[in-house]
Amino acid sequence: MTTITATFDGDDTYNPATASYTLSVMKAGVTLSFSNATVNQTLATSTTSVQTITSSVQGLSYTYTSSNGSVATVSGTTITIVGTGSTTITASFAGNDTYNAASASYTLNVTKANVTLSFTNASVTASLDDGTTSIQTVTSSVQGLTFTYSSSDTSIATISGNTITFVGAGSVTIIASFAGNSTYNAASASYTLVISAVYDFSYTGAV
């Protein structure tokens, strides 16, 4: 703060005079913002980058922090996903001789990732006299998962491992299930197996 004074020394007509005012000089403010107030990620994404920050002043340096280290940690501008939940990612400007300190933040939500499972054929036909068949190969959006298989009607077909054993004629749903784990949600896929009956057309009548 300083006082600015105007001085008139006087002359033959007018006496000396002064006027003054106080000038207060403050640091300038900085406005920081992120494009998105909320960002959603899954545990399948091991790392991601902090959003680009928009600032009313160019060339400033920021530090980034996460409010919940059990969900995500930050090193530089790289976010490492740790677990499910929500955390606040904050960009902070410490301030300097010209500008006041400032900060901006957004919410990062982390959830388990989804898995997409499918079979090539929605329906498969077989004959009861074939006895057994193999389950179709599961196509998965995530590799290395373990599946369990089940039959919707064990009076028509039973399953052991990857083998279907025919018990009777009819239609049955074959289901592949992934139980889920710490990273991925549970998922399943199915197809219809139609087993036709065996007919005996032999004739034993008298000649």
Side-chain angles (χ1 to χ4, degrees):
M1 184 170 62
T2 187
T3 301
I4 305 300
T5 302
T7 302
F8 171 59
D9 293 332
D11 57 20
D12 293 341
T13 305
Y14 298 99
N15 292 315
T18 61
S20 63
Y21 66 93
T22 300
L23 175 64
S24 297
V25 180
M26 300 177 293
K27 290 183 180 181
V30 177
T31 302
L32 307 180
S33 63
F34 289 108
S35 298
N36 301 296
T38 301
V39 172
N40 299 317
Q41 293 284 357
T42 70
L43 282 174
T45 304
S46 57
T47 61
T48 187
S49 295
V50 175
Q51 291 189 76
T52 300
I53 195 164
T54 299
S55 173
S56 59
V57 178
Q58 302 304 305
L60 303 181
S61 296
Y62 311 102
T63 57
Y64 298 92
T65 57
S66 167
S67 66
N68 190 344
S70 66
V71 174
T73 59
V74 184
S75 177
T77 58
T78 299
I79 299 172
T80 299
I81 304 298
V82 178
T84 58
S86 295
T87 185
T88 300
I89 304 299
T90 302
S92 300
F93 166 61
N96 56 24
D97 292 340
T98 305
Y99 298 101
N100 288 313
S103 65
S105 62
Y106 66 95
T107 300
L108 174 65
N109 297 317
V110 180
T111 58
K112 289 184 179 182
N114 291 324
V115 177
T116 302
L117 308 180
S118 64
F119 289 107
T120 302
N121 300 299
S123 181
V124 173
T125 59
S127 175
L128 186 59
D129 61 1
D130 291 337
T132 64
T133 188
S134 295
I135 296 173
Q136 293 187 73
T137 300
V138 179
T139 299
S140 173
S141 59
V142 177
Q143 301 304 305
L145 302 182
T146 300
F147 309 106
T148 58
Y149 301 96
S150 60
S151 165
S152 65
D153 190 341
T154 55
S155 67
I156 297 175
T158 61
I159 297 176
S160 177
N162 196 46
T163 300
I164 303 171
T165 299
F166 304 155
V167 179
S171 178
V172 64
T173 301
I174 305 301
I175 304 163
S177 300
F178 166 61
N181 57 24
S182 59
T183 303
Y184 297 100
N185 290 312
S188 65
S190 63
Y191 67 96
T192 301
L193 174 63
V194 180
I195 304 172
S196 60
V198 178
Y199 297 100
D200 184 2
F201 293 101
S202 62
Y203 176 73
T204 58
V207 178

